[in-house]
Amino acid sequence: MAIRMPRIFKKSSTNGDIPKGHFAVYIGEKHKKRFVIPISFLSHPEFQHLLSQAEEEFGFDHPMGGLTIPIREDVFIDLTSRLRNCDRNLSSQFCKAGSAQFA
């Protein structure tokens, strides 16, 4: 059963429910939760920074079957909300800045 978050992304429960143009990530520092997010996030410098962190911590071995990102869930939700807004409104200050601070 999937839990839908309004206009942000959805928490996913199976491998076969990833829509075209999206991919699965596992988020969390201890307990990992699986989310399905748009591929468009890959072009944002803030998300690329997260990918670098994931590579440093986990390398390219992701035993859960998807990309694992070592970030608190609340920070990830905040970031993806802002990235979604960037996709809608490229003139926002956050989108122009090109960097974010992560906890």
Side-chain angles (χ1 to χ4, degrees):
M1 182 169 119
I3 299 171
R4 294 184 186 257
M5 298 200 63
R7 298 183 183 203
I8 297 174
F9 51 84
K10 72 176 183 175
K11 186 172 155 184
S12 178
S13 60
T14 64
N15 289 334
D17 63 352
I18 301 174
K20 185 175 181 177
H22 292 73
F23 65 104
V25 294
Y26 290 90
I27 302 302
E29 294 171 325
K30 281 190 173 184
H31 303 286
K32 308 290 187 250
K33 291 188 180 179
R34 184 173 181 258
F35 293 90
V36 175
I37 60 174
I39 288 176
S40 65
F41 286 2
L42 292 172
S43 65
H44 292 279
E46 297 80 13
F47 197 81
Q48 292 172 6
H49 176 72
L50 284 180
L51 294 178
S52 294
Q53 287 181 331
E55 179 185 4
E56 287 176 17
E57 185 160 333
F58 297 105
F60 292 105
D61 180 28
H62 299 277
M64 298 186 79
L67 180 62
T68 303
I69 300 176
I71 187 173
R72 290 191 340 249
E73 185 179 353
D74 61 323
V75 175
F76 178 76
I77 290 171
D78 179 61
L79 174 65
T80 54
S81 295
R82 289 183 286 153
L83 293 179
R84 177 76 67 182
N85 288 334
C86 284
D87 286 347
R88 290 188 193 132
N89 180 11
L90 293 175
S91 64
S92 78
Q93 189 64 24
F94 175 77
C95 298
K96 290 179 181 177
S99 66
Q101 297 296 321
F102 302 101

